[in-house]
Amino acid sequence: MSCSTCRLCAQSLLLLVLLSAAAVSAHTHDKVKGVSYDGRSLIINGRRELLFSGSIHYPRSTPEMWPDIIAKAKRGGLNAIQTYVFWNVHEPQPGQLNFSGRRDLVKFIKLVHQQGLYATLRIGPFIEAEWNFGGFPFWLKEIKNITFRSDNEPFKHHMKKFAEMIVKMMKDEKLFASQGGPIILSQIENEYNNVALAYEEEGKNYVQWAGKMAVGLETGVPWVMCKQTDAPDPVISSCNGRNCGDTFTGQNKPNKPILWTENWTAQYRVFGDPPSQRSAEDLAYAVALFFSKNGTLVNYYMYHGGTNFGRTSSSFVTTRYYDEAPLDEYGLLKEPKWGHIKDLHSALKLCRKALLWGTPTVQSLGQDLEARVYEKPGSDVCAAFLVNKNPRVDTTVVFRGVAYVLPHHSISILPNCKTVVINTQRVNAQHSARTYHVSKEANKKHGHGWKMYQEAVPTFSRTSIRANGPMELMNLTKDTTDYLWYSTSFNLEKDDLPRRQDIRPVVQISSLGHALHAFVNDVYIGSGHGTKIDKSFSFAKPATLKPGTNHISILGMTVGLPDSGAFLEKRVAGVHRVAVQGLNTGTLDLSANKWGHQVGMVGEKLRIYTQHGSHRVQWSAAKKGTPLTWYKRYFDAPHGEDPVAIDMSSMGKGMVWVNGQSIGRYWVSYLSPFGLPSQSMYHIPRSFMKPSGNLMVVLEETGGNPEGIAVVTVRRDNICAIVTGDVKPKARLRCADSKIIRSIAFVSFGNPTGSCGQLAAGSCHSPAAMAVVEKACVGKTSCELPVSPEAYAADASCAGTTNTLAVQAKCVRKKG
Ligand SMILES: *[C@@H]1O[C@H](CO)[C@@H](O)[C@H](O)[C@H]1NC(C)=O
Ligand SMILES: *[C@@H]1O[C@H](CO)[C@@H](O)[C@H](O)[C@H]1NC(C)=O
Ligand SMILES: *[C@@H]1O[C@H](CO)[C@@H](O)[C@H](O)[C@H]1NC(C)=O
Ligand SMILES: *[C@@H]1O[C@H](CO)[C@@H](O)[C@H](O)[C@H]1NC(C)=O
Ligand SMILES: CC(=O)N[C@H]1CO[C@H](CO)[C@@H](O)[C@@H]1O
């Protein structure tokens, strides 16, 4: 035995003593209602638990979707659901409360409870969350002398009032675990460490105050702060990020458990971003590593991202949110991510005893290779994690006398220290591909196609709010609309203008963000916008000016209020400076001119996107390509139960309403570096529609072709099994949403290539395989297939065979 192993033994003996002490204290909690913790784990109603939690935000889907989403999370092996509380949807005006519809927090938590899951409630009230203003209502900014998230009396007063109200609401409904309810943890503040420095001493005082205030609310369950290494006792600091098992686990005291409140399942997207992925393999690796390093609670951020309806997203964030999560925007299973982490949860649950009561040891198995073992001496309780940290090289390790193949960047889990039940790099879960289908019934013309109403461009004389210079935007819109018009008029002499017709003066605008459309003498001259990273931008476009009075009107706008960084209440946006260059007299600076402002669009004020309001204006036959145009038409809901979306590829930027409800902002003209829109499909929840005669209204800012808009249904009916025989002897296929397998589109055994939706046979292929798979699967909800050459009369000696079975099946909804 080498010296280093000696030291390991001594260390583990010490650990054993510590851990048995912890186990004893856990037993004394038996039959105690409520939640406590020690250095090992949370102890819920006297029981230690491994917690697999997923974020699902109630206002990002609909009450009609909640039961299905929660049930799918449960089937995916979760035992807890986490949500933020969204202050600005509950209290849009001071004292004016709303907890109905999508805002029904109590109903959401009760549904979680009904399905036997725990809940964790992140009250914030600062939540960030890519949510408008980080969750703060705009009126909070208008309170005299307020500084958000600091040791500031007005802020602390309102924060406390809100936290008290939410806690009381939960207590009245008996929703805390201490009352027999599902809520096992609450969170106060959010990632304050990121901004603490900016607030200096007042930040430190504020964190201490926030922790004490929260604890004083006496929920009977622990509070967490995420990434808060100075979290005041007994508040637990937890970890956020992609790789919490790697270097930092978030623990700020040895007597507090290691919890991971945000493990990003992908990355949220902003307009202009290319698509992103976090592979199922990488996610599973990170979670397995975290549990191998004493972690006991993981939360997938997001498990279901959903939709930023209306104007709820923060600056530049797309309307769909974390569509790459295990449940996609529509609540459909995103495979193999959903299935692979489900398999991981099953494997980890088999390790429960060892993880919660065993003694951890670490043994090196070579460079980048280690065995992390939890063992209870004197019993056969033993679980091992064999880790290969090398990002490229597959290898074989020997652990307790047995050889194990260990692919690169992977962890094998052995719940009995002998048998591998999962390797994070080997995905056995089925795959699925998402498809969109144009709905005939929804796109039928009915005799009435698109109608339009054009917004007028307001000139200075028609505006009411005047100032010497353009004013800050958010101060005027007060978060009631994205839009603020800026108008000014100025005179030019004939001599001011260039003599040559082909040389036109240039209108130059500098903006503090986020986007603008410019009109000169009622003619649209162009648009500009900033980015998520740099919201300010400048704009310069030639314009046709004339002798006499000229008008410049600029539609400035935000695309969601900011949600991150210090001093949110001091942010600025809108037109800043305006000049006309290239006049014979040089540059005309209009920044100190008299400017008029108009908040919002006329169509917004008249609510012409509602059935009632649409009668307030005169609609005419639609023309394409016109800026600042409202379009409307009626449509029937697509038949069936598949989710519904709308393809906006033919449009520019704006918003869509269905029966008066906003389905969010669209912005397809902002292309990613790959030349594609970040989002073309926009979700219309089924509950927004009735069977026929639905009113759709589109506000298009720059010009598009409404004839190109199509209502589509969304499916993940193409499911695939891609399994290699020497890893797993069986492959499984299962249709979701009570559908059955109608047909088999592709089968190959040998060395097939491609991914689900694009599978192709390789050089080794067995024609007999199709009949075998059809017989086993067609007409069934699920089927199990052997993965061996014999089962498919395949040539096992075919050069290049990988003994891989690839199947693509099509699911359909059962008739009747
Ligand atoms: C509350 O919110 C719902 C949407 O969830 C909305 O339909 C309703 O009008 C709101 N009620 C009030 C009083 O603002
Ligand atoms: C605002 O702060 C100033 C300076 O701290 C103080 O003098 C003033 O009384 C405060 N006003 C209110 C309404 O709290
Ligand atoms: C896991 O817990 C043990 C016992 O408390 C400790 O010695 C060890 O350092 C922990 N491992 C990690 C990675 O935190
Ligand atoms: C916004 O309005 C507040 C008063 O409501 C004022 O103190 C502040 O200076 C304004 N900000 C800007 C940038 O104009
Ligand atoms: C702190 C941290 O781990 N951040 C990572 C979170 O995940 C995203 C992608 O999802 C990474 O880009 C970050 O580096």
Side-chain angles (χ1 to χ4, degrees), residues 293-330:
K293 293 188 173 179
N294 302 347
T296 51
L297 178 157
V298 68
N299 180 69
Y300 297 98
Y301 193 96
M302 299 292 294
Y303 196 79
H304 172 252
T307 309
N308 292 310
F309 297 111
R311 300 174 44 260
T312 59
S313 67
S314 68
S315 310
F316 291 92
V317 171
T318 56
T319 295
R320 66 161 52 130
Y321 188 59
Y322 278 89
D323 183 40
E324 299 296 329
L327 299 177
D328 72 9
E329 178 181 19
Y330 308 98

Side-chain angles (χ1 to χ4, degrees), residues 141 472 475 572:
K141 167 184 147 90
E472 197 282 322
N475 254 1
V572 287

Side-chain angles (χ1 to χ4, degrees), residues 227 240-244 264-267 278 322:
K227 301 215 283 196
N240 274 8
R242 189 191 266 261
N243 297 315
C244 282
W264 301 326
T265 50
Q267 173 89 68
R278 183 179 193 185
Y322 278 89

